[in-house]
């Protein structure tokens, strides 16, 4: 498993790459964790994956918590009773049941991962018990809970009569003391009231507790997962503390109880003669009054103990902790004054940006989250890495849906010198529907992959019509990739007349079929375009509402070097109300060059769509036939649908960004944990080491490529383990 180090130095982020191992450096300013919240200077986002080990290094972290219990319920079989004893939880263990046995692993309702814990409160009124340290006085807990919208609060008599509802959702007890008057704390108990209107009151108290705190505005509601997090410092001398927060996606974090300088555990008196008392038992779903229509669900149960129980690491979905509406807690495996080790848990977070938070033992948290980026993870690859061979990629975070691969052609099935085929079977995947007046042909004079390519030779007597057209299924989103070249010594279209005009690809709406070339004049999009000497535009169009600036200087010029194949790819999302997007890349000697990436832009007129694509769409006629004016294409790929950007690629470097050669694999099937794809070898040779990448629909890609070798069969191969014991001085 790859390990990432988040290391703190006083100036800037350093990134080191060793094999398949990343070392990241960040700076946490922690002047005094006992009294001041951590301050984070955020560098470039760090790519992380579910299950990845990370080490956060810094200053004055103090001592961390004793993580007594964590369970995400992924280890059990659906329908199986909750396991008890050693190995029953992800960390720690469940030690028994409290009030009933109908607690089962479930996959119908789950907050994170694939499973949760279902407790049937129609037949039992209790939950699951975990034993804590015998003399524990301080406890922090966090968990997610859910009551389906078609169920009632535990104990409610009906949809409208909540008068008997009684749900002690978390209960701390001193179960090692046999005295009947021992201390306890339900944290909280949700009690129902009969309306109108019906409502809940929350109470933090106990059968034998020295405090009784209540609030009338719990934000929890049926049909929405909610998070509870609480901390208690058990004291009998007036120095106790207690905190309780609720969180939902709709309401965010609400601190409901925050008491200081109180008694929080029962002291000795005439009744409580066995004091001192402790909190040495945690009961999830401590008491839930049975009812005819009751069921509750739990996920990601975390309990920490000791004087530093509040200290923790979490990931949130907002740049400030208090603004987060989703949090996932990361159980720590080691914690010292300058180093925290934990395992990334993606929880219900989608791929993309999130924020890391460190809370110290006093409850202080960095107010600005450290930006991280969730990316897909490849666990294994099986199959033969060879042209036309199918491989299966297993992992996580791929996303529920993949691209609809409409078209791919490497031109290997054609006859050299003949026109590009049209109709069924004319392309490797999909088909060519129409050719221009000057028909492009198969050639073996030049190729990027295999032995053949698409070649158009412009005719001095014909303006713009040496193209191939592909029918699209009335789409608003597409991803396109191809290799393109102008041979050395040839002119680019229109160069000999001094005013080049080359629209490389062009998609439009309402094409009139049967006409070799026709611009419909409505929502046409060109990607890219050469309009004048060295005036390259990433996209343009005669009637397109989206017209980003040309690029004529800097690292993107020249766009092409004659005699060299250039890989170009783009993703275009149509949107008529600042909800469109456009990304455009090209492959340079230094790696992947992201030329432009814009979101929240208007890229399409309202109500429109695109239904045809023209390749080598428009070429200004040459003045003569010498020098030649030829345009070549290879490995043309088109994907559509709302996940068009999702894809599988193979590169020649251990990171996608530094790859200088790339080839797309065409997807056969897709799920969040498994992708089947057909390898397209491109210009890679057998025996060459390469790296496999999976992109989700939002363009997130695994941070490190999965190593493969062309021409070799692999079977459930896992990536090499990360080096250990490394440091940067």
């Amino acid at each position: 498993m790859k390990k990432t180090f988040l290391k703190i130095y006083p100036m800037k982020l350093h990134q080191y790459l060793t094999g398949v191992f990343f070392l990241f450096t960040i700076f946490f300013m922690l002047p005094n964790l006992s009294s001041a919240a951590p301050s984070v200077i955020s560098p470039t986002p760090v790519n992380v994956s579910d299950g990845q080990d990370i080490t956060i290094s810094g200053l004055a972290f103090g001592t961390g918590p004793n993580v007594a219990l964590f369970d995400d319920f992924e280890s059990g079989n659906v329908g199986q009773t909750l396991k008890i004893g050693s190995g029953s939880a992800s960390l720690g263990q469940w030690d028994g049941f409290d009030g009933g046995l109908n607690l089962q692993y479930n996959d119908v309702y789950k907050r994170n991962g694939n499973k949760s814990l279902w407790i049937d409160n129609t037949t039992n009124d209790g939950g699951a018990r975990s034993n804590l340290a015998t003399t524990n006085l301080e406890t922090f807990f966090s968990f997610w809970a859910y009551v389906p919208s078609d169920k009632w609060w535990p104990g409610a008599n009906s949809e409208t009569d909540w008068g008997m509802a009684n749900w002690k959702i978390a209960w701390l007890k001193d179960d090692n003391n046999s005295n009947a008057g021992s201390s306890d704390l339900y944290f909280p108990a949700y009690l129902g009231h009969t309306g109108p209107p019906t409502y809940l009151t929350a109470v933090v108290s106990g059968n034998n507790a020295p405090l009784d705190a209540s609030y009338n505005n719990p934000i929890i509601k049926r049909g929405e997962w909610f998070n509870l997090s609480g901390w208690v410092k058990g004291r009998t001398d007036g120095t106790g503390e207690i905190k309780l927060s609720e969180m939902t996606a709709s309401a965010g974090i609400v601190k409901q109880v925050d008491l200081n300088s109180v008694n929080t555990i029962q002291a000795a008196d005439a009744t409580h003669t066995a004091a001192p008392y402790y909190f040495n038992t945690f009961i999830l779903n401590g008491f839930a009054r049975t009812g005819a229509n009751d069921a509750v669900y739990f996920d990601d149960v975390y309990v920490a103990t000791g004087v530093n129980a509040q200290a923790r690491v979490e990931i949130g979905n907002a740049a400030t902790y208090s603004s987060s509406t989703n949090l996932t807690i990361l159980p720590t495996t080691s914690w010292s004054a300058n180093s925290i080790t934990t395992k990334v848990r993606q929880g219900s977070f989608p791929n993309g940006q999130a924020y890391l938070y460190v809370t110290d033992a006093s409850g202080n948290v960095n107010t600005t989250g450290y930006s991280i980026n969730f990316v897909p993870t490849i666990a294994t690859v099986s199959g033969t890495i060879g042209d036309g061979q199918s491989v299966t990629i297993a992992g996580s975070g791929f996303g529920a849906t993949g691209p609809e691969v409409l078209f791919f052609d490497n031109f290997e099935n054609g006859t050299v010198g003949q026109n590009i085929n049209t109709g069924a079977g004319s392309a490797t995947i999909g088909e060519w529907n129409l050719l221009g007046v000057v028909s492009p042909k198969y050639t073996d004079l030049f190729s990027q992959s295999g032995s053949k390519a698409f070649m158009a030779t412009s005719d001095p007597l014909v303006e713009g019509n040496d193209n191939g057209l592909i029918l699209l299924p009335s789409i608003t989103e597409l991803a396109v990739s191809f290799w393109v070249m102008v041979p050395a010594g040839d002119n680019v279209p229109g160069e000999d007349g001094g005013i080049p005009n080359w629209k490389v690809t062009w998609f439009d709406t309402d094409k009139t079929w049967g006409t070799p070339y026709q611009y419909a004049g409505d929502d046409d999009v060109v990607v890219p375009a050469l309009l004048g000497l060295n005036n390259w535009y990433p996209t343009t169009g005669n009637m397109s509402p989206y017209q980003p600036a040309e690029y004529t200087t800097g690292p993107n010029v020249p766009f092409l070097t004659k005699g060299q194949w250039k890989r170009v790819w783009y993703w275009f999302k149509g949107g008529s109300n600042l909800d469109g997007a456009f990304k455009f890349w090209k492959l340079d000697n230094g790696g992947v060059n992201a030329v432009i990436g814009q979101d929240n832009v208007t890229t399409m007129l309202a109500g429109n769509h695109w239904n045809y694509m023209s390749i080598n769409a428009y070429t200004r006629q040459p003045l003569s036939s010498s020098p030649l004016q030829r345009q070549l294409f290879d490995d043309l790929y088109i994907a559509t649908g709302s996940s068009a950007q999702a894809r599988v690629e193979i590169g020649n470097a251990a990171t996608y960004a530094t790859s200088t050669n790339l080839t797309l694999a065409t997807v056969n099937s897709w799920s969040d944990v498994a992708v089947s794809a057909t390898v397209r070898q491109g210009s890679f040779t057998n025996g060459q080491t390469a790296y496999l990448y999976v992109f989700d629909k939002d363009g997130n890609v695994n941070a490190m490529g999965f190593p493969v070798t062309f021409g070799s069969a692999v079977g459930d191969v896992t990536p090499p383990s990360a080096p250990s014991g490394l440091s940067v001085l």
Side-chain angles (χ1 to χ4, degrees):
M1 181 64 66
K2 175 177 60 187
K3 179 175 283 189
T4 297
F5 285 84
L6 304 178
K7 197 174 184 72
I8 297 163
Y9 288 110
M11 292 302 294
K12 63 180 180 178
L13 170 73
H14 298 277
Q15 295 186 353
Y16 297 86
L17 169 63
T18 303
V20 294
F21 178 75
F22 267 128
L23 184 73
F24 293 100
T25 305
I26 63 174
F27 175 33
F28 280 70
M29 294 184 64
L30 301 177
N32 184 355
L33 278 176
S34 64
S35 60
S39 176
V40 181
I41 298 176
S42 297
T44 303
V46 174
N47 291 326
V48 299
S49 300
D50 188 54
Q52 177 181 353
D53 294 318
I54 62 172
T55 296
I56 308 170
S57 299
L59 301 173
F61 288 151
T63 304
N66 168 45
V67 181
L69 176 73
F70 177 75
D71 203 355
D72 58 8
F73 306 105
E74 296 299 308
S75 66
N77 297 321
V78 172
Q80 176 187 5
T81 298
L82 178 68
K83 293 182 286 186
I84 299 298
S86 178
S88 57
S90 306
L91 284 174
Q93 67 183 49
W94 297 104
D95 292 290
F97 301 113
D98 209 77
L101 297 176
N102 206 1
L103 294 77
Q104 297 179 6
Y105 299 98
N106 150 83
D107 63 357
V108 177
Y109 298 105
K110 60 267 187 185
R111 170 66 189 182
N112 301 318
N114 298 310
K115 299 169 193 165
S116 68
L117 177 67
W118 167 63
I119 301 181
D120 178 9
N121 289 132
T122 62
T123 58
N124 59 264
D125 59 11
R129 172 172 48 84
S130 182
N131 296 335
L132 309 178
T134 303
T135 58
N136 175 61
L137 286 172
E138 298 187 26
T139 304
F140 174 87
F141 68 82
S142 172
F143 56 81
W144 288 89
Y146 181 78
V147 176
S149 57
D150 61 347
K151 299 295 182 180
W152 305 334
W153 295 115
N157 291 325
S158 69
E159 179 70 27
T160 57
D161 181 2
W162 297 2
M164 294 298 291
N166 187 331
W167 190 17
K168 298 176 177 66
I169 192 168
W171 206 340
L172 291 171
K173 292 183 177 182
D174 184 348
D175 267 6
N176 288 334
N177 194 314
S178 60
N179 187 292
S182 65
S183 193
D184 69 313
L185 186 68
Y186 34 80
F187 207 175
Y190 291 112
L191 306 176
H193 295 267
T194 301
T198 54
Y199 66 98
L200 294 177
T201 293
V203 178
V204 178
S205 187
N207 294 329
N208 292 279
L211 80 162
D212 191 353
S214 64
Y215 56 96
N216 292 322
N217 57 340
I219 62 172
I220 69 172
K221 57 185 179 182
R222 294 175 300 157
E224 182 178 26
W225 281 94
F226 61 92
N227 175 266
L228 280 178
S229 62
W231 171 70
V232 61
K233 178 182 177 181
R235 296 292 186 272
T236 61
D237 60 357
T239 62
E241 299 179 55
I242 190 163
K243 298 179 181 179
L244 178 67
S245 293
E246 298 171 337
M247 179 176 63
T248 66
S250 59
I253 300 172
V254 176
K255 186 178 290 187
Q256 299 287 20
V257 176
D258 189 1
L259 298 177
N260 300 296
S261 303
V262 294
N263 291 331
T264 52
I265 198 166
Q266 184 63 52
D269 58 22
T271 302
H272 304 88
T273 57
Y277 299 113
Y278 303 97
F279 295 131
N280 51 42
T281 302
F282 171 81
I283 305 174
L284 180 72
N285 203 56
F287 175 81
R289 180 167 286 154
T290 57
N293 190 36
D294 295 356
V296 295
Y297 299 80
F298 294 92
D299 211 347
D300 285 6
V301 179
Y302 171 95
V303 181
T305 61
V307 295
N308 301 291
Q310 273 194 105
R312 60 193 184 275
V313 176
E314 293 174 281
I315 295 174
N317 65 340
T320 61
Y321 187 87
S322 60
S323 299
S324 296
T325 59
N326 188 14
L327 289 168
T328 186
I329 198 164
L330 312 185
T332 55
T333 53
S334 69
W335 190 305
S336 70
N338 57 13
S339 181
I340 302 171
T341 302
T342 184
K343 188 182 294 292
V344 173
R345 297 189 61 260
Q346 191 163 351
S348 60
F349 283 81
N351 285 343
Q353 191 175 34
Y355 300 87
L356 181 70
Y357 294 97
V358 176
T359 300
D360 67 21
S362 298
N364 302 305
V365 60
N366 47 298
T367 53
T368 301
Y370 167 62
S371 181
I372 60 174
N373 198 52
F374 281 116
V375 297
T377 304
I378 298 176
T380 64
V381 176
S382 58
T384 299
I385 310 300
D387 192 60
Q389 300 298 311
S390 179
V391 295
T392 298
I393 307 158
S396 63
F398 300 154
T401 57
E404 299 170 21
V405 180
L406 177 73
F407 185 94
F408 177 78
D409 203 356
N410 57 14
F411 306 102
E412 296 303 306
N413 293 330
T415 302
V416 172
Q418 298 297 310
N419 291 347
I420 298 294
N421 296 324
T422 58
S426 56
T428 310
I429 297 174
E431 63 183 71
W432 294 95
N433 298 98
L434 192 67
L435 303 179
V437 171
V438 181
S439 298
K441 302 181 184 298
Y442 298 99
T443 183
D444 60 359
L445 298 176
F446 311 93
S447 65
Q448 164 63 20
S449 69
S451 61
K452 301 170 192 171
F454 168 118
M455 185 172 73
T457 304
S458 300
D459 189 320
L461 301 178
V462 179
E463 174 80 3
N465 281 298
D466 40 8
N467 49 8
L469 292 101
I470 301 162
L471 182 65
L472 305 175
S474 296
I475 62 169
T476 58
E477 186 172 336
L478 78 167
V480 178
S481 172
F482 54 86
W483 289 84
V484 61
M485 186 184 76
V486 170
D490 281 28
N491 283 337
V492 296
E495 182 179 356
D496 59 358
I499 309 178
N501 188 331
W502 185 18
K503 298 175 176 66
V504 181
T505 69
W506 200 345
F507 47 100
D508 201 347
T509 185
D510 299 330
K511 167 68 182 162
T512 302
W513 292 98
T515 304
Y517 169 78
Q518 178 172 329
Y519 152 60
D522 189 11
D523 252 345
D524 65 308
V525 179
V526 178
V527 186
L530 173 63
L531 304 175
L533 292 172
N534 262 337
N535 292 350
W536 280 101
Y537 294 78
T539 184
T540 186
N542 292 306
M543 294 295 290
S544 173
Y546 179 58
Q547 302 279 345
E550 66 179 288
Y551 53 88
T552 58
T553 59
N556 294 309
V557 176
F559 174 73
L560 285 177
T561 299
K562 291 180 181 179
Q564 296 182 12
W565 284 96
K566 173 70 70 174
R567 162 81 185 274
V568 175
W569 64 110
Y570 60 87
W571 171 66
F572 214 110
K573 178 183 177 183
S576 61
N577 188 25
L578 297 177
D579 54 352
F582 176 60
K583 297 179 183 179
F584 180 85
W585 303 265
K586 63 189 183 80
L587 197 59
D588 291 335
N589 292 334
V592 174
N593 186 337
V595 176
I596 188 172
Q598 294 186 345
D599 296 305
N600 304 316
V601 290
T602 296
T603 56
M604 172 179 277
L605 300 176
N608 275 5
H609 59 272
W610 302 304
N611 65 4
Y612 82 93
M613 164 74 74
S614 181
I615 306 300
N616 201 44
Y618 183 91
T619 54
R620 176 148 290 161
Q621 65 194 84
L623 298 180
S624 67
S625 58
S626 181
L628 290 172
Q629 184 172 294
R630 292 173 293 180
Q631 307 89 43
L632 290 110
F633 294 81
D634 210 348
D635 287 1
L636 173 63
Y637 168 94
I638 303 173
T640 63
S642 60
S643 300
Q645 199 175 182
R647 61 191 186 275
V648 175
E649 295 201 55
I650 301 174
N652 66 340
T655 64
Y656 185 79
T658 57
S659 295
T660 57
N661 189 15
L662 290 165
T663 184
L664 274 157
T666 52
V667 170
N668 304 318
S669 64
W670 191 288
S671 75
D672 188 55
V673 296
V675 173
S676 171
T678 299
V679 174
R680 307 298 175 184
Q681 192 156 342
S683 61
F684 287 88
T685 57
N686 285 341
Q688 184 174 356
T689 297
Y691 301 86
L692 195 145
Y693 298 95
V694 176
F695 287 79
D696 68 12
K697 69 181 184 64
D698 297 314
N700 300 297
V701 61
N702 45 299
M704 299 298 299
F706 189 102
V708 296
T709 301
F710 275 98
S712 297
V714 292
D716 292 334
V717 172
T718 57
S721 300
S724 60
L726 300 181
S727 63
V728 174
L729 303 177

